[in-house]
Amino acid sequence: MSVRDGGFLGRWARLKAETRMREAEAEAEAAPAEADAACEVPEEAFDPESLPPLESLGADSDYAAFLAKGVPKALRNAALRRAWSTDPVIRDYRTPADYDWDFNAPGYAALRPGDDPRKLVEAMFRHLREAPPDQRPDEAEPEVAAGEGEEDAPDDEAEAPVSS
């Protein structure tokens, strides 16, 4: 490329301008089609009389009619707001969170009448009293029955040096 063509940056700017013009032409062609689609009347006309009054809705009501296609957004949101305010399962739902425990609440971690504090403390600290698995005599060496293996063991008294 020569310097008069603008080099790499000149070519890049020219291609970018051409792309913008093609996109603008495509939008201009698509705009009338979108305008025609927006003017069309929906096939299903919404009838507000078919819905129950908002005041009659409760926790056991069916809200599916308010979620149907064609229901105005304001009416749908009003019905959902009513569901959230009347149904205690929805209204009082609280996600569990590890950091959100209320340790100051009355009855939190209270002992039940059948709980024995000594047994609870013993269960909590049992692992500190037990030997680690690799140091337990039961698992480290098998027990030898009385009289077995004595033939192979050296006699300490017979080999002990005599001191004078």
Side-chain angles (χ1 to χ4, degrees):
M1 288 197 155
S2 66
V3 178
R4 287 186 297 175
D5 293 339
F8 170 74
L9 294 178
R11 180 172 166 258
W12 175 77
R14 181 177 43 82
L15 291 174
K16 189 173 179 181
E18 289 174 4
T19 304
R20 283 185 185 159
M21 287 182 58
R22 275 190 242 125
E23 289 175 356
E25 290 173 3
E27 287 178 14
E29 291 175 4
E34 290 176 8
D36 292 340
C39 294
E40 292 180 16
V41 177
E43 295 176 11
E44 298 177 25
F46 171 69
D47 182 21
E49 299 298 323
S50 64
L51 298 175
L54 290 175
E55 295 79 26
S56 68
L57 297 175
D60 57 344
S61 299
D62 183 21
Y63 291 89
F66 290 97
L67 302 175
K69 201 172 197 177
V71 176
K73 189 175 181 179
L75 185 58
R76 179 183 316 129
N77 289 344
L80 291 175
R81 194 173 301 116
R82 178 78 177 174
W84 293 327
S85 65
T86 59
D87 192 357
V89 174
I90 298 171
R91 180 187 63 220
D92 299 336
Y93 178 75
R94 196 167 151 202
T95 58
D98 293 336
Y99 57 84
D100 196 22
W101 291 11
D102 188 2
F103 296 105
N104 297 321
Y108 178 79
L111 293 175
R112 295 180 297 260
D115 290 339
D116 182 14
R118 288 184 185 156
K119 288 181 181 178
L120 293 173
V121 171
E122 174 65 30
M124 285 191 297
F125 296 108
R126 182 178 302 136
H127 69 282
L128 297 175
R129 291 195 186 112
E130 293 179 356
D134 57 343
Q135 296 179 0
R136 291 182 185 164
D138 302 338
E139 297 173 9
E141 299 176 10
E143 291 185 20
V144 178
E148 290 183 19
E150 291 181 8
E151 304 86 34
D152 298 337
D155 190 9
D156 291 336
E157 295 175 9
E159 294 179 14
V162 179
S163 60
S164 29

